[in-house]
Amino acid sequence: MDIAGMRRDYDGVELLEENIHSTPSQLFEQWLEEAVAAGVTDPNSMVLSTVSPSGTPSSRVVLAKDITDRGVTFFTNYDSQKAHEIGANPNVSLLFHWAELNRVVRIEGRAERISDEDSDRYFDSRPRGSRLGAIASPQSQVIASRSVLTDKIAELEKSEEPIKRPANWGGYLVRPSSVEFWQGRPDRVHDRMRYRVDGAQWVKERLAP
C-alpha cells in the first residue's frame, strides 16, 4: 500500500484576522454549528490527551457535553486512567477534527472536576442504559470477559432502587489557555489562528502552516 502517495488538496473558507470573533468560544460555537449543519458524524467528539506521572502521553476519544466561555466539559469514571492522570497532572489537550470541513480545533488547558450537583444533573439526563453502563463498568480495569459487564447490568436491571450517579463518576471542565483554529487551504498553505490567554485577555495571532 502506497501510504506516501495518499494525498488530497484542501479547500475551505479563508480564516482572516478581521473576520473572526474576539473570543475563541464564539468562533468555536460557529464552527460547531457549521459541523452539525454539514452532517459531521459525532461533531462533539474530541481527542483528550493526558500525561502519566512518568511522562507517558495517552489519548482517547470522548464526547464534549458542554461548551461555554469557561471551557469544555466531559464526563468519565473518576477511577479511569484519564482521571488518575489528570489528578497527577491537570494539564491536558483536546482536539476536534471535522474532516468534512477540513477543520481542526486544538485546545490546551487545565482540567478540574465540576460540582457534584452539575454531575448529578447530567447523569440524570442520560438514557437509562447509559446510566446502568456507567455504574457497571470498572473503567480501564482488566476484566475476564464481556459477561462481567452484561451480568452486572442484568443484576442492576432487577433492582427497584433509583439509578443514582455513583460517587466515582462525574465531569471535568477544561479551562483553556490556548485555542487554535486550523482551516485547510489549497497547496498546504493552511490558515492557523490561535487565541492565547494573556492576563485577563485573549490575544489573537496567526501561525505559519
Side-chain angles (χ1 to χ4, degrees):
M1 181 179 295
D2 180 20
I3 297 178
M6 293 181 180
R7 62 174 57 86
R8 65 183 178 88
D9 207 6
Y10 296 86
D11 193 13
V13 179
E14 285 184 312
L15 190 58
L16 302 176
E17 289 83 346
E18 59 267 27
N19 295 332
I20 62 175
H21 302 284
S22 58
T23 64
S25 61
Q26 293 173 295
L27 181 55
F28 186 92
E29 182 177 355
Q30 175 189 324
W31 275 25
L32 180 58
E33 290 176 351
E34 291 172 356
V36 172
V40 173
T41 301
D42 295 329
N44 63 324
S45 66
M46 60 187 185
V47 176
L48 164 68
S49 297
T50 56
V51 179
S52 72
S54 64
T56 302
S58 59
S59 301
R60 73 288 289 161
V61 176
V62 299
L63 297 176
K65 288 300 180 178
D66 193 28
I67 300 170
T68 66
D69 289 340
R70 296 192 306 152
V72 180
T73 300
F74 68 92
F75 293 84
T76 189
N77 187 309
Y78 289 144
D79 294 327
S80 64
Q81 177 184 348
K82 68 178 81 66
H84 284 299
E85 292 181 350
I86 288 172
N89 181 356
N91 295 301
V92 303
S93 69
L94 306 174
L95 185 143
F96 292 84
H97 181 208
W98 300 312
E100 294 87 340
L101 298 175
N102 298 320
R103 286 175 173 174
V104 174
V105 179
R106 299 173 58 231
I107 300 173
E108 296 177 357
R110 291 174 65 86
E112 60 187 50
R113 289 194 188 189
I114 65 174
S115 69
D116 288 343
E117 292 77 14
D118 286 341
S119 288
D120 286 340
R121 190 176 300 110
Y122 173 70
F123 186 82
D124 292 342
S125 75
R126 303 181 89 203
R128 176 181 174 84
S130 295
R131 285 180 282 159
L132 293 177
I135 296 171
S137 175
Q139 194 174 98
S140 299
Q141 296 182 28
V142 175
I143 57 176
S145 67
R146 182 175 176 81
S147 64
V148 171
L149 302 176
T150 55
D151 290 349
K152 179 63 175 178
I153 291 173
E155 179 184 338
L156 292 170
E157 285 278 17
K158 298 176 183 177
S159 175
E160 297 181 357
E161 295 294 321
I163 306 173
K164 295 184 178 180
R165 178 183 67 88
N168 68 338
W169 191 97
Y172 284 97
L173 169 68
V174 177
R175 295 185 181 272
S177 57
S178 173
V179 183
E180 179 189 330
F181 294 84
W182 182 97
Q183 174 66 70
R185 300 287 290 141
D187 300 321
R188 300 299 192 268
V189 187
H190 310 304
D191 285 328
R192 296 176 61 189
M193 296 298 299
R194 180 174 65 186
Y195 292 78
R196 175 175 51 82
V197 170
D198 184 8
Q201 296 182 331
W202 286 104
V203 174
K204 294 184 292 185
E205 49 198 9
R206 177 175 291 273
L207 303 178

